[in-house]
Protein backbone atom coordinates (compact mmCIF):
# COMPACT_ATOMS: atom_id res chain seq x y z
CA UNK A 1 0.00 0.00 0.00
CA UNK A 2 1.27 3.44 -0.88
CA UNK A 3 1.69 6.26 1.66
CA UNK A 4 2.90 3.85 4.37
CA UNK A 5 0.19 3.53 6.99
CA UNK A 6 1.34 1.49 9.95
CA UNK A 7 1.48 0.81 13.65
CA UNK A 8 3.50 3.17 15.85
CA UNK A 9 4.63 2.10 19.32
CA UNK A 10 3.80 4.83 21.80
CA UNK A 11 5.84 5.70 24.88
CA UNK A 12 4.71 3.40 27.68
CA UNK A 13 5.82 3.63 31.29
CA UNK A 14 4.66 1.05 33.81
CA UNK A 15 5.24 0.81 37.54
CA UNK A 16 3.30 -0.19 40.66
CA UNK A 17 0.94 2.79 40.16
CA UNK A 18 -0.18 1.68 36.68
CA UNK A 19 0.69 2.48 33.09
CA UNK A 20 1.22 5.88 31.51
CA UNK A 21 1.18 6.11 27.71
CA UNK A 22 2.57 9.24 26.04
CA UNK A 23 2.06 10.78 22.59
CA UNK A 24 4.10 13.82 21.61
CA UNK A 25 3.32 15.52 18.30
CA UNK A 26 6.42 15.87 16.16
CA UNK A 27 8.39 13.54 18.46
CA UNK A 28 6.68 10.16 18.98
CA UNK A 29 4.44 10.73 15.96
CA UNK A 30 5.47 12.37 12.68
CA UNK A 31 3.12 15.37 12.84
CA UNK A 32 2.03 18.18 15.14
CA UNK A 33 -1.35 17.56 16.73
CA UNK A 34 -3.91 20.21 15.75
CA UNK A 35 -7.06 18.32 16.80
CA UNK A 36 -8.06 15.41 19.00
CA UNK A 37 -11.37 13.61 19.36
CA UNK A 38 -12.61 10.25 20.54
CA UNK A 39 -15.34 7.87 19.44
CA UNK A 40 -17.45 6.02 22.01
CA UNK A 41 -20.76 4.17 22.29
CA UNK A 42 -20.73 2.74 18.76
CA UNK A 43 -23.78 0.43 18.58
CA UNK A 44 -23.19 -3.25 17.88
CA UNK A 45 -22.96 -3.91 14.15
CA UNK A 46 -22.41 -0.25 13.28
CA UNK A 47 -19.26 1.46 12.04
CA UNK A 48 -17.63 4.84 11.64
CA UNK A 49 -15.36 6.47 9.10
CA UNK A 50 -16.18 5.77 5.48
CA UNK A 51 -14.13 8.70 4.23
CA UNK A 52 -10.62 9.89 3.36
CA UNK A 53 -8.68 13.06 4.09
CA UNK A 54 -7.09 15.18 1.39
CA UNK A 55 -4.23 16.59 3.52
CA UNK A 56 -4.58 15.48 7.14
CA UNK A 57 -2.64 12.67 8.78
CA UNK A 58 -4.30 10.81 11.66
CA UNK A 59 -3.23 8.53 14.48
CA UNK A 60 -5.93 6.20 15.82
CA UNK A 61 -5.57 4.51 19.20
CA UNK A 62 -7.86 1.99 20.90
CA UNK A 63 -7.51 3.47 24.39
CA UNK A 64 -10.11 0.99 25.64
CA UNK A 65 -11.55 -2.12 24.02
CA UNK A 66 -10.95 -2.86 20.38
CA UNK A 67 -12.08 -2.18 16.83
CA UNK A 68 -11.11 -3.03 13.26
CA UNK A 69 -9.78 -0.42 10.85
CA UNK A 70 -9.87 -1.08 7.12
CA UNK A 71 -7.58 1.10 4.98
CA UNK A 72 -7.93 1.41 1.20
CA UNK A 73 -5.56 3.37 -1.06
CA UNK A 74 -7.68 2.78 -4.18
CA UNK A 75 -5.55 -0.20 -5.24
CA UNK A 76 -5.28 -2.43 -2.18
CA UNK A 77 -6.68 -2.77 1.32
CA UNK A 78 -5.15 -3.49 4.71
CA UNK A 79 -7.04 -4.52 7.83
CA UNK A 80 -5.85 -3.84 11.37
CA UNK A 81 -7.36 -4.88 14.69
CA UNK A 82 -6.51 -2.22 17.25
CA UNK A 83 -6.66 -3.44 20.85
CA UNK A 84 -3.52 -2.12 22.55
CA UNK A 85 -3.58 1.38 24.08
CA UNK A 86 0.19 1.72 23.70
CA UNK A 87 0.00 1.39 19.89
CA UNK A 88 -1.44 3.78 17.35
CA UNK A 89 -2.22 3.33 13.68
CA UNK A 90 -0.82 6.09 11.49
CA UNK A 91 -3.16 6.91 8.60
CA UNK A 92 -1.64 9.27 6.01
CA UNK A 93 -3.75 11.51 3.77
CA UNK A 94 -5.37 9.96 0.73
CA UNK A 95 -6.39 6.72 2.45
CA UNK A 96 -10.05 5.64 2.66
CA UNK A 97 -10.81 4.35 6.15
CA UNK A 98 -13.62 2.37 7.73
CA UNK A 99 -13.87 1.56 11.43
CA UNK A 100 -16.00 -1.43 12.43
CA UNK A 101 -16.40 -4.33 14.88
CA UNK A 102 -16.20 -2.15 17.99
CA UNK A 103 -16.12 -4.13 21.22
CA UNK A 104 -18.56 -3.06 23.96
CA UNK A 105 -17.15 0.00 25.73
CA UNK A 106 -14.48 0.65 23.08
CA UNK A 107 -12.92 4.11 22.95
CA UNK A 108 -11.10 5.24 19.79
CA UNK A 109 -8.84 8.27 20.22
CA UNK A 110 -8.03 10.13 16.99
CA UNK A 111 -5.18 12.67 16.79
CA UNK A 112 -5.16 14.77 13.62
CA UNK A 113 -2.58 16.99 11.94
CA UNK A 114 -5.06 19.75 11.02
CA UNK A 115 -8.09 21.55 12.43
CA UNK A 116 -11.58 20.51 11.35
CA UNK A 117 -12.36 21.61 7.78
CA UNK A 118 -15.27 19.95 5.99
CA UNK A 119 -13.66 20.56 2.57
CA UNK A 120 -10.73 18.41 3.75
CA UNK A 121 -12.93 15.28 3.73
CA UNK A 122 -13.74 13.02 0.79
CA UNK A 123 -17.01 11.36 1.78
CA UNK A 124 -18.03 9.47 -1.38
CA UNK A 125 -15.97 6.53 -2.60
CA UNK A 126 -16.27 7.42 -6.34
CA UNK A 127 -14.93 10.91 -5.48
CA UNK A 128 -12.07 9.26 -3.61
CA UNK A 129 -11.14 7.15 -6.65
CA UNK A 130 -11.23 10.29 -8.84
CA UNK A 131 -9.01 12.10 -6.27
CA UNK A 132 -6.51 9.24 -6.36
CA UNK A 133 -6.45 9.30 -10.18
CA UNK A 134 -5.21 12.91 -10.24
Amino acid sequence: MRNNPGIIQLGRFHDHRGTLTVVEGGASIPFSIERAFWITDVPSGRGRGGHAHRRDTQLLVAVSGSFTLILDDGESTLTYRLDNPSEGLLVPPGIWNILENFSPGAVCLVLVSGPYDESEYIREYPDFIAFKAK
Side-chain angles (χ1 to χ4, degrees):
M1 178 172 282
R2 298 177 299 175
N3 295 345
N4 300 319
I7 297 292
I8 292 178
Q9 297 297 318
L10 304 174
R12 183 175 184 262
F13 304 93
H14 181 78
D15 65 21
H16 68 279
R17 300 169 295 170
T19 302
L20 173 70
T21 303
V22 177
V23 177
E24 293 182 282
S28 58
I29 61 174
F31 61 88
S32 296
I33 300 164
E34 291 284 327
R35 178 169 50 121
F37 62 91
W38 45 97
I39 301 167
T40 62
D41 302 321
V42 177
S44 179
R46 301 296 302 267
R48 299 288 308 211
H51 63 266
H53 290 272
R54 296 175 192 280
R55 298 171 302 277
D56 286 345
T57 299
Q58 300 181 96
L59 183 77
L60 290 88
V61 180
V63 294
S64 181
S66 61
F67 56 89
T68 301
L69 184 57
I70 301 167
L71 303 181
D72 177 348
D73 69 357
E75 295 178 6
S76 62
T77 61
L78 293 172
T79 302
Y80 295 88
R81 183 75 177 162
L82 297 181
D83 60 5
N84 182 341
S86 62
E87 294 180 343
L89 180 61
L90 184 69
V91 181
I95 303 289
W96 189 263
N97 66 80
I98 299 171
L99 292 83
E100 59 185 22
N101 300 319
F102 283 79
S103 68
V107 177
C108 172
L109 171 66
V110 184
L111 305 174
V112 189
S113 65
Y116 178 79
D117 177 357
E118 180 58 32
S119 68
E120 207 311 273
Y121 287 78
I122 305 169
R123 297 198 182 271
E124 299 295 330
Y125 193 78
D127 296 339
F128 168 69
I129 295 300
F131 171 79
K132 296 299 285 188
K134 293 180 182 178

